[in-house]
Amino acid sequence: MKMISKSIPLRVEAKADAPAGTISAYLTTFGNNDVVNDIMAKGSLDSYIAKFNPTTKKLPMFYEHDHTSIIGEWTDLKADEHGVVGTGVLYTETTKGSDVYKLMKRDAVSSVSIGFRSADYTKNDEGGRTFNEIELVETSVVLNPANDQAQIMSVKSDDGMIETAALKKHLIEGGLTKSECEALFMSGWKGLKNLREADAHKETLAEALKGFML
């Protein structure tokens, strides 16, 4: 079976009672459509969670689905009414793990993604697929989201965390517009690039219309 990837936005918060490097995140959410109208059915990971044992088989965490960039692992999975919550640990003793951990604490990366396989899905009314059962293969921290309802819920900070508002202020002072800053936070560099291309297209269209009116 071909592996499928789905990404969801993350939000970083400080949590005082967890060891440094520990994160908590919704890996997937139930019932909502992602950008291609795919849906995860409630219970789609029940079978996988029942068999999940990180002491015998790890569920790795990569950066941008690069299997040479292992940044951590998931140690616990639990389903609730909203989706599946994973508790994991970033390998902060490694350069890449430490770097991504710092980026998470500063809201500089935007998504967590799962790679999975499924033979049990149906077409839904929105033109996408409803996955009734899936098997996780890996997870990654990535830049661009597909599912807009799940998020990183906590990251333990060992040296404090810059306030999001302060970081946005510095970016705007550095030359970004407010709209560009929001696009960067929501969708990474791709979101910023798309916004700038759209603005350039609007300017070109406005110039063309101005010439026509004259």
Side-chain angles (χ1 to χ4, degrees):
M1 288 182 288
K2 180 181 178 181
M3 190 176 79
I4 303 167
S5 296
K6 294 292 179 184
S7 306
I8 50 183
L10 58 84
R11 182 187 67 199
V12 176
E13 297 177 346
K15 188 176 181 181
D17 59 350
T22 299
I23 65 171
S24 181
Y26 275 104
L27 302 186
T28 191
T29 52
F30 302 139
N32 64 292
N33 298 51
D34 66 15
V35 295
V36 294
N37 288 318
D38 284 346
I39 300 170
M40 293 294 177
K42 186 177 180 181
S44 56
L45 268 165
D46 284 357
S47 179
Y48 181 87
I49 292 173
K51 296 182 292 184
F52 179 63
N53 184 351
T55 61
T56 58
K57 185 177 181 181
K58 295 182 183 297
L59 178 60
M61 190 189 309
F62 300 116
Y63 185 67
E64 288 287 354
H65 294 288
D66 180 357
H67 289 206
T68 65
S69 294
I70 303 174
I71 59 171
E73 64 179 279
W74 299 98
T75 57
D76 185 62
L77 301 174
K78 292 181 180 178
D80 62 17
E81 290 299 310
H82 186 60
V84 174
V85 179
T87 298
V89 59
L90 286 157
Y91 297 155
T92 55
E93 69 274 20
T94 67
T95 300
K96 179 67 74 172
S98 178
D99 288 346
V100 173
Y101 176 48
K102 292 172 183 175
L103 291 172
M104 279 186 176
K105 290 191 293 180
R106 287 159 176 77
D107 292 333
V109 291
S110 63
S111 305
V112 61
S113 177
I114 60 171
F116 65 93
R117 295 188 179 94
S118 176
D120 185 358
Y121 60 86
T122 56
K123 294 288 185 179
N124 59 45
D125 294 337
E126 288 75 22
R129 297 162 293 181
T130 296
F131 291 96
N132 302 306
E133 185 173 342
I134 68 172
E135 179 183 2
L136 289 183
V137 178
E138 51 100 335
T139 67
S140 291
V141 174
V142 298
L143 293 178
N144 296 303
N147 177 327
D148 63 0
Q149 289 194 8
Q151 56 207 215
I152 292 283
M153 298 183 294
S154 64
V155 173
K156 164 61 180 175
S157 174
D158 55 0
D159 61 356
M161 183 173 66
I162 189 170
E163 293 181 359
T164 300
L167 179 56
K168 288 182 178 180
K169 181 183 178 201
H170 285 302
L171 289 172
I172 291 171
E173 289 175 350
L176 292 183
T177 66
K178 185 176 180 180
S179 295
E180 288 176 334
C181 188
E182 292 300 328
L184 179 62
F185 268 71
M186 290 298 295
S187 303
W189 292 113
K190 185 175 181 181
L192 178 58
K193 179 174 179 290
N194 289 343
L195 176 66
R196 287 177 170 173
E197 288 177 349
D199 287 343
H201 177 71
K202 288 178 183 177
E203 290 179 6
T204 301
L205 183 59
E207 288 296 320
L209 290 173
K210 182 179 179 182
F212 178 76
M213 293 173 68
L214 292 175

